[in-house]
């Protein structure tokens, strides 16, 4: 792979890297025929971002002969190469990205003024393809606005705010901070903004609904959109479905896919695990990836001791475990977009349940034999 970006495209590339750093800790790089794909996913698999830079974006673009090549690396190491965005305009004339598969090194060379070269050799790991499958055309609600409007709206919320609620009607949009159900309403600060449909470049609402999603990822895309002057499009349906934020140009395309809070049924009980209980059929996100952090199995109950002097401690230990579970994190029911690599297969769950039951039965038999003796 050999890519060369010149002029203002070097800063656009740097802005894309900085936007992806707000999503996850690893950068997935995949050169394809359509261009260079830069992707990232957060640790909870609830946010995915992708930048596709077409061959026209580069002065020279040469994809590797091995079309199956893809790699990942810590995004902080790549971000350090473009850490000073202000100096890129003043000093950097072009950026060259080369791949050395023999040494497993990605070489980024910055050609600065007066013949100065800055070379960075970054190590990488081979990985599987990271791709989220979504259909923006099937979404009932589509909003498009200039980035300045979105930035001015988001500025009214404090930087510490994690989630924001978006509601739409036939002619208006409401944006408010999300407050937990168990929060004290007398101490919570409520912020709400109302935007008319006339303020948007495109306003199409097929379903009046309300969705809640994380604000951090939205800020990351707005920083990139404002610097490039590209309008931001938003696609969404019902709560529990993804919110897709898109920025498109003739030489690049950026898509941010964010999970939303799913509504609780009033007659249903609160599930013990938000990722296990989410209704994912409505927006199945297909994914193939490897070595992503996350749950790889469902832990089984540990075997209980068989000594007589520990009989009375069983109930106390069980009560402590139940209290620990009750004091766990709040059940927010954020739908995981990438549950395929996190959750175990359904065939594994019954086997683990049977193993847990067999251990409990074995311990009971041991206790009965001890009491009889």
């Amino acid at each position: 792979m050999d890519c060369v970006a010149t002029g203002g495209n070097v800063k656009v590339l740097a802005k894309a890297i900085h936007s992806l750093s707000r999503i996850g800790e690893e950068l997935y790089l995949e050169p394809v025929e359509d261009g260079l794909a830069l992707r990232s996913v957060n640790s909870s698999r609830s946010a995915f971002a992708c930048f596709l830079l077409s061959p026209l974006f580069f002065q020279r673009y040469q994809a590797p002969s091995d079309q199956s090549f893809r790699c990942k690396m810590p995004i902080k190491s790549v971000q350090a190469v473009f850490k000073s965005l202000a100096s890129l305009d003043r000093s950097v004339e072009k950026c060259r990205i080369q791949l050395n598969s023999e040494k497993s090194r990605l070489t980024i060379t910055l050609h600065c003024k007066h013949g100065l070269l800055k070379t960075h050799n970054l190590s990488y790991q081979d990985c599987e393809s990271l791709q989220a499958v979504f259909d923006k055309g099937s979404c009932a609600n589509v909003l498009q606005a200039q980035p300045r409007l979105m930035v001015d709206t988001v500025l009214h919320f404090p930087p510490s705010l994690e989630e924001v609620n978006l509601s739409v009607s036939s002619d208006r949009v409401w944006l408010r901070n999300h407050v937990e159900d168990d929060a004290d309403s007398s101490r919570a600060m409520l912020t709400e903004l109302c935007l008319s449909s006339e303020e948007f470049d495109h306003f199409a609402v097929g379903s009046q609904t309300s969705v809640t999603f994380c604000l951090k990822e939205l800020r990351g895309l707005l920083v990139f959109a404002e610097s490039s002057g590209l309008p931001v499009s938003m696609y969404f349906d019902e709560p529990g479905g993804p919110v897709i934020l898109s920025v498109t140009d003739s030489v690049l395309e950026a898509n941010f896919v964010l999970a939303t809070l799913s509504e609780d049924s009033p007659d249903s009980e609160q599930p013990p695990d938000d990722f296990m209980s989410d209704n994912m059929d409505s927006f199945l996100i297909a994914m193939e990836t490897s070595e992503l952090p996350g749950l790889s199995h469902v832990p089984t109950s540990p075997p209980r001791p068989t000594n007589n002097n520990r009989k009375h401690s069983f109930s106390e230990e069980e009560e402590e475990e139940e209290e620990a579970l009750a004091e766990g994190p709040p059940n927010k029911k954020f739908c995981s977009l990438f549950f395929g690599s996190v959750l175990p297969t359904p065939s594994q769950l019954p086997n683990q349940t049977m193993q847990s039951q067999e251990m409990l039965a074995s311990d009971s038999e041991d206790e009965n034999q001890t009491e009889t003796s």
Side-chain angles (χ1 to χ4, degrees):
M1 182 186 70
D2 190 1
C3 308
V4 177
T6 60
N9 287 351
V10 178
K11 187 175 182 179
V12 175
L13 176 62
K15 284 286 187 178
I17 299 297
H18 282 265
S19 296
L20 291 173
S21 66
R22 292 173 175 258
I23 300 295
E25 298 181 354
E26 290 182 319
L27 175 66
Y28 291 78
L29 187 145
E30 183 177 358
V32 294
E33 294 183 0
D34 297 336
L36 181 63
L38 306 175
R39 304 185 179 101
S40 185
V41 60
N42 65 351
S43 58
S44 61
R45 283 78 168 170
S46 62
F48 167 85
C50 174
F51 282 86
L52 179 61
L53 309 177
S54 71
L56 297 177
F57 179 86
F58 301 94
Q59 185 185 52
R60 180 174 70 251
Y61 178 79
Q62 181 180 355
S65 56
D66 185 9
Q67 295 294 331
S68 62
F69 172 80
R70 54 191 66 90
C71 64
K72 67 177 181 178
M73 63 196 69
I75 198 168
K76 288 185 178 180
S77 61
V78 186
Q79 190 178 6
V81 178
F82 307 98
K83 60 182 178 180
S84 180
L85 297 177
S87 64
L88 292 177
D89 289 335
R90 298 193 306 265
S91 60
V92 179
E93 297 179 344
K94 66 178 180 179
C95 172
R96 185 177 184 180
I97 304 175
Q98 294 175 291
L99 176 66
N100 189 340
S101 57
E102 296 180 357
K103 297 182 179 181
S104 297
R105 291 290 186 272
L106 185 72
T107 303
I108 301 178
T109 305
L110 299 179
H111 295 255
C112 305
K113 295 180 180 180
H114 311 294
L116 179 63
L117 297 179
K118 296 182 180 180
T119 303
H120 303 264
N121 293 310
L122 309 179
S123 60
Y124 64 82
Q125 296 178 351
D126 294 333
C127 65
E128 296 298 326
S129 179
L130 176 67
Q131 179 63 52
V133 179
F134 51 89
D135 184 12
K136 294 184 290 187
S138 63
C139 295
N141 303 319
V142 181
L143 307 177
Q144 185 181 81
Q146 293 298 317
R148 188 71 256 172
L149 173 65
M150 304 289 290
V151 171
D152 291 342
T153 303
V154 171
L155 283 177
H156 291 83
F157 299 101
S160 59
L161 181 63
E162 296 182 357
E163 298 149 11
V164 66
N165 179 269
L166 177 72
S167 302
V168 293
S169 66
S170 58
D171 59 348
R172 293 184 182 277
V173 174
W174 289 269
L175 203 65
R176 61 181 67 90
N177 60 318
H178 176 69
V179 180
E180 299 293 338
D181 296 336
D182 55 353
D184 188 359
S185 58
S186 61
R187 297 184 178 180
M189 182 181 68
L190 303 178
T191 303
E192 179 176 321
L193 293 93
C194 181
L195 302 175
S196 173
S197 59
E198 298 177 354
E199 301 186 58
F200 293 84
D201 298 341
H202 180 74
F203 189 90
V205 175
S207 174
Q208 299 186 15
T209 185
S210 177
V211 294
T212 302
F213 54 91
C214 291
L215 186 59
K216 175 184 176 181
E217 289 78 9
L218 175 60
R219 295 182 191 270
L221 180 63
L222 292 180
V223 171
F224 176 83
E226 186 180 19
S227 63
S228 58
L230 298 175
V232 180
S233 300
M234 181 178 296
Y235 306 82
F236 59 96
D237 279 314
E238 300 297 329
V243 170
I244 305 168
L245 305 172
S246 180
V247 173
T248 305
D249 193 10
S250 58
V251 295
L252 65 87
E253 180 180 0
N255 291 299
F256 282 49
V257 186
L258 312 180
T260 61
L261 284 176
S262 59
E263 290 183 338
D264 294 332
S265 175
D267 299 332
S268 61
E269 297 181 356
Q270 289 289 341
D273 192 305
D274 46 351
F275 289 110
M276 292 284 286
S277 61
D278 288 337
N279 181 12
M280 304 300 298
D281 295 336
S282 60
F283 71 106
L284 179 60
I285 302 297
M287 171 188 176
E288 295 178 1
T289 185
S290 66
E291 301 180 1
L292 282 176
L295 300 175
S296 59
H297 65 284
V298 176
T300 58
S301 301
R304 294 156 55 187
T306 57
N307 296 337
N308 290 335
N309 57 357
R310 294 190 179 180
K311 288 181 181 179
H312 301 288
S313 64
F314 295 155
S315 58
E316 297 178 357
E317 293 177 356
E318 292 175 354
E319 291 178 358
E320 292 177 356
E321 292 177 357
E322 292 178 356
E323 293 178 357
L325 292 176
E327 297 175 356
N331 180 22
K332 283 192 175 181
K333 292 192 65 180
F334 256 115
C335 292
S336 174
L337 301 180
F338 307 100
F339 71 102
S341 63
V342 180
L343 298 181
T345 58
S347 59
Q348 294 176 348
L349 295 177
N351 296 335
Q352 294 175 352
T353 304
M354 290 299 296
Q355 292 176 2
S356 177
Q357 292 175 352
E358 289 176 359
M359 285 188 292
L360 292 176
S362 176
D363 294 339
S364 300
E365 292 175 0
D366 293 341
E367 293 175 2
N368 295 333
Q369 291 178 2
T370 306
E371 292 176 359
T372 304
S373 60

